[in-house]
Amino acid sequence: MPFVLIHGAGFGANCWDELIPHLNAEALAVDLPGRGTRAGVALDTVTLADCADAVREDVEAKDLRDVVLVGHSFAGVTVPRVLDLIPDRIRHVVLVSAVVPPDGSRVLDQIDPGVRDLVERSIAGGVYHQTREGAAAILCEDMDDATTASTLDRLIDDSAALLSEPVDLSGYRREIPRTYLHLTRDLCYVEELQQRSIALLRPDVVDLDTGHLAMISAPGRLATILNGIHG
C-alpha cells in the first residue's frame, strides 16, 4: 500500500526528500515532465494531460496498487486526471493545500489577486519562472535560513499550462475517499482559496499549522497525518 507523491509548480520530485524518510510505507515521488527524470521534455510543450500520463506511467511501471495518492498545490489539477486514468489503483487521495478551481476554469482565474499579478508577470513563452525572492516571500515563511536556502535551490521553471490551461475535474466525481490538508499559515494558496477548494471537493479536512511547503518545513508532522490516513 504505497504512497505516490505529486509535486506542485516550480518543483520536482525532490521536494519530498525531507518527508519520505518519515513515511511508514513505500513512497514513489513522481517527476512531472520537464524536470528530474523527465528533464528532456521541453516545458513549453507540457500539458495537464502530459502530467497525468507521467504519474500513470510511473505507477504502472512499478505495478503499484492500493495507492494513497498525495498531491500538493498545483497537483490539485493533475490528480483528477490521474483518477480517470487509473481509478482501480487508487485507494485514497490526499490534497495538501491543493489548488482546485471550478471545472473548466483556469488556475490563474482563482488565485489571490496579489499572487496572480506576480504569477502572470512570471509567464513567458509557455514557461512559468519564479524568482528566488518572490518564492521566498510566499513559500518559505515558516522556514529558517538554511531550510529556505535548500528549498530555493530546488526551485525550477515550469510549464505555463499548469496555470493557464482549463482544468478537467471529472475525476473528482469518482467515489474515492479524499482528505484535504488545510495549511493554516499558507501565504501562497491563502485561506479563502483553500476554503473554496474544500467547498468544491467536500473532503475530510485536517488542519496543519504550516506554510505552503509543509513537506519541507514540517515533514514529521505532515508524515504523522499521512501515516494515519494510510493506516
Side-chain angles (χ1 to χ4, degrees):
M1 295 184 288
F3 291 101
V4 172
L5 311 172
I6 310 176
H7 61 78
F11 290 91
N14 61 359
C15 75
W16 302 102
D17 285 356
E18 286 87 349
L19 173 74
I20 288 174
H22 296 276
L23 297 175
N24 291 341
E26 176 187 359
L28 168 66
V30 176
D31 274 314
L32 298 181
R35 76 218 72 209
T37 58
R38 293 185 168 90
V41 179
L43 284 173
D44 61 354
T45 70
V46 176
T47 66
L48 292 176
D50 294 333
C51 293
D53 277 336
V55 179
R56 176 191 56 77
E57 288 170 5
D58 285 1
V59 169
E60 291 181 345
K62 290 183 172 290
D63 195 25
L64 301 179
R65 299 178 184 276
D66 216 16
V67 164
V68 176
L69 185 67
V70 181
H72 174 250
S73 190
F74 288 114
V77 298
T78 297
V79 165
R81 292 172 181 262
V82 174
L83 298 181
D84 272 341
L85 290 174
I86 49 172
D88 294 342
R89 294 178 182 265
I90 310 300
R91 175 164 64 97
H92 199 112
V93 173
V94 182
L95 299 158
V96 183
S97 195
V99 179
V100 186
D103 199 11
S105 70
R106 306 180 308 159
V107 167
L108 272 174
D109 297 329
Q110 307 303 320
I111 59 180
D112 180 78
V115 176
R116 180 170 65 239
D117 291 343
L118 178 65
V119 169
E120 288 181 321
R121 291 196 300 270
S122 303
I123 294 175
V127 174
Y128 169 47
H129 171 77
Q130 299 180 77
T131 66
R132 288 176 69 96
E133 294 77 15
I138 63 173
L139 300 177
C140 304
E141 65 274 19
D142 60 339
M143 300 180 189
D144 60 27
D145 289 346
T147 306
T148 295
S150 173
T151 299
L152 297 177
D153 285 345
R154 284 174 268 185
L155 190 68
I156 59 171
D157 289 346
D158 216 323
S159 167
L162 294 174
L163 308 168
S164 57
E165 184 181 322
V167 303
D168 179 359
L169 302 186
S170 58
Y172 283 133
R173 300 190 189 107
R174 295 183 178 274
E175 295 297 322
I176 298 173
R178 52 187 176 240
T179 301
Y180 195 99
L181 267 58
H182 166 228
L183 305 183
T184 61
R185 296 170 61 189
D186 196 333
L187 298 181
C188 180
Y189 200 52
V190 296
E191 176 70 17
E192 177 185 357
L193 299 177
Q194 288 188 70
Q195 292 301 332
R196 288 184 192 175
S197 292
I198 289 166
L200 280 169
L201 293 172
R202 299 188 300 276
D204 294 331
V205 179
V206 178
D207 292 343
L208 183 59
D209 185 30
T210 72
H212 191 64
L213 294 171
M215 71 286 286
I216 298 175
S217 66
R221 286 191 284 149
L222 177 56
T224 296
I225 294 170
L226 295 177
N227 290 333
I229 292 169
H230 183 277

